Amino acid sequence: MGPLLETARSEALGLAQTLKRESLRFVEGQQDRSSAILDEIAHTLREREAGKSDAPAALSVTAADYISASAHKIREADAAASIETLGATARKHPVPLAIGAAAIGFLAARFISSTDQ
């Protein structure tokens, strides 16, 4: 039974490393995608308000600045640290995290189904 248990542990460790590596790759891809979308939104806001000097234009430019700053923070965030933080939070508070994930999934499904129509 000893060699079988050792093989199972080795396989589990290999699977965990693969999962961690793929999670990191996924998160980094989502960081790139999200920051690019936010940069595009900020650019569009600035472009639409170019040459205007009224209060709504100033507010839009300020919002674009905040959006650009958020895009930069997302781009520069350490994905591995984010995954570790999420894992620690999941171990500490599994029920609220599961409820939050279900709520986000439900909202995303509603959003996707409403845009398909």
Side-chain angles (χ1 to χ4, degrees):
M1 188 76 152
L4 184 59
L5 184 57
E6 194 57 41
T7 301
R9 282 186 182 154
S10 177
E11 290 294 322
L13 182 60
L15 183 59
Q17 291 298 324
T18 300
L19 181 60
K20 187 175 182 177
R21 190 173 45 255
E22 291 302 316
S23 296
L24 183 59
R25 188 183 337 233
F26 175 77
V27 169
E28 288 171 344
Q30 292 304 309
Q31 281 179 290
D32 293 342
R33 183 171 174 241
S34 298
S35 62
I37 290 169
L38 289 174
D39 280 335
E40 186 177 325
I41 290 168
H43 175 73
T44 301
L45 278 173
R46 287 188 183 100
E47 197 174 73
R48 288 183 62 196
E49 302 304 330
K52 297 179 184 176
S53 60
D54 57 354
L59 186 60
S60 291
V61 171
T62 300
D65 291 342
Y66 281 111
I67 292 168
S68 289
S70 296
H72 179 74
K73 285 181 182 178
I74 289 170
R75 192 177 301 107
E76 297 300 317
D78 182 9
S82 298
I83 291 171
E84 280 298 317
T85 301
L86 181 61
T89 302
R91 286 186 292 279
K92 215 175 208 182
H93 308 286
V95 174
L97 188 73
I99 291 170
I104 290 170
F106 176 75
L107 292 173
R110 296 272 298 170
F111 176 75
I112 290 169
S113 67
S114 70
T115 57
D116 286 344
Q117 296 176 358

